[in-house]
Amino acid sequence: MHATDKPRLNIRAIRESKGYTQEYMAEMLDICQSTYANLECGKIPLSINRLLRISDILETDFAELVDHQQSSRVSAQKQSQSPNPPDPGLYQETK
């Protein structure tokens, strides 16, 4: 598998998980369905701008399209980090 295959596979998997058709994606990108199919299968290169637009349509982080595992690790790290506790002095009443 080439590095350029991963975004295409992620796009397809995310698109299908959301129940979006290639026709819907093509309409949102203002291209014909066959052009979208060629983008998704690798016959047409994906530009950064096109990837950004696709991530917007799929309501997905750009990083998830490019490398789903990397995005999952970042999400897990964010969830495991607890915020700093508030300063107890902030909430003391003054007399």
Side-chain angles (χ1 to χ4, degrees):
M1 174 174 17
H2 294 112
T4 58
D5 293 339
K6 191 164 194 82
R8 296 172 196 287
L9 295 172
N10 291 342
I11 289 168
R12 182 176 180 179
I14 295 165
R15 174 182 63 77
E16 289 177 344
S17 75
K18 292 184 176 282
Y20 295 166
T21 63
Q22 286 186 346
E23 186 174 291
Y24 170 77
M25 294 296 293
E27 184 178 321
M28 297 301 292
L29 292 166
D30 198 27
I31 58 177
C32 66
Q33 184 274 331
S34 62
T35 300
Y36 180 81
N38 287 331
L39 282 170
E40 203 172 82
C41 75
K43 293 180 181 176
I44 298 175
L46 279 166
S47 68
I48 297 296
N49 288 337
R50 184 71 47 104
L51 282 168
L52 288 168
R53 181 69 183 120
I54 290 171
S55 71
D56 286 344
I57 295 166
L58 295 174
E59 299 174 330
T60 303
D61 286 336
F62 178 78
E64 188 171 354
L65 291 184
V66 176
D67 184 0
H68 182 70
Q69 291 177 337
Q70 173 71 23
S71 179
S72 297
R73 284 192 300 268
V74 170
S75 294
Q77 288 173 349
K78 285 181 182 177
Q79 289 175 355
S80 68
Q81 295 173 349
S82 59
N84 294 332
D87 180 2
L90 283 175
Y91 302 106
Q92 291 179 352
E93 288 185 32
T94 57
K95 294 184 180 182

